[in-house]
Amino acid sequence: MSVQAENELTVMLVDNEPARAAIVEQAMRDNGYRVIKRLASARNLTQAVNESQPDMVIIDIESPDRDMLENMSRLTKDNPRPIVMFAEEDDSHHVEAAIRAGVSAYVVDGVQSGSVKALLQVAIARFREFQALRSELESVKSQLEDRKLIEKAKGLIMKHQGCDEPAAYQALRKLAMDRSQRMTDVARNIISVMELMGGDNKNV
């Protein structure tokens, strides 16, 4: 998800109190942001975000309950974007739970129009940093999984062809080139075939 320039942000607001929501909405407008949808609860948060595609989600509540945390976690996993939470509860357990659920900024002292822009900028910066770290970790994890597949496939080739590791690697590489496939895909296929046949087939 690419966040637009801060002064072009569209916002989804979650607040079950109309009067309080009106204050937040006015603060957004005062700072050049546009609230495109308001929800009374986070029950259908992921679906609402998928439909409206806001740049940011702002949640204004007394204290995050379990259902809200679960819905935020689901959103963070399926369709991540910056989340700012204004809450009256400053209990450290609630703050930690909200951060784990994907909240980029947890604010206890309420909405102050003069500080909205800075808060949103901090939330966006934290969100981008987290997404970059998440992407890097996923890339490393994927590389490790690919390496494990290739090593396992090489081991099977060595065992059933009676060859050494360099020869097994070259056989795997040649198969990948001949089939115009990634080595990891060929390795996965080899492992599946070998396991399916109980390792009795000596032909790769």
Side-chain angles (χ1 to χ4, degrees), residues 157 166-176:
I157 293 173
Y169 179 83
Q170 288 301 321
L172 187 60
R173 186 168 180 270
K174 185 175 187 304
L175 277 172

Side-chain angles (χ1 to χ4, degrees), residues 12-18 20-21 37-49 57-61 65 67-69 71-72 75 85:
M12 176 176 290
L13 175 61
V14 181
D15 196 330
N16 62 353
E17 293 187 11
R20 186 173 60 192
K37 190 175 183 65
R38 180 162 70 87
L39 304 177
S41 75
R43 186 174 305 163
N44 298 312
L45 183 59
T46 299
Q47 179 182 342
V49 167
V57 175
I58 293 181
I59 300 174
D60 195 11
I61 56 166
D65 58 24
D67 287 342
M68 177 165 285
L69 292 172
N71 278 284
M72 287 192 300
L75 174 64
M85 177 172 285

Side-chain angles (χ1 to χ4, degrees), residues 173-181:
R173 186 168 180 270
K174 185 175 187 304
L175 277 172
M177 293 177 64
D178 291 345
R179 298 177 183 179
S180 298
Q181 293 180 320

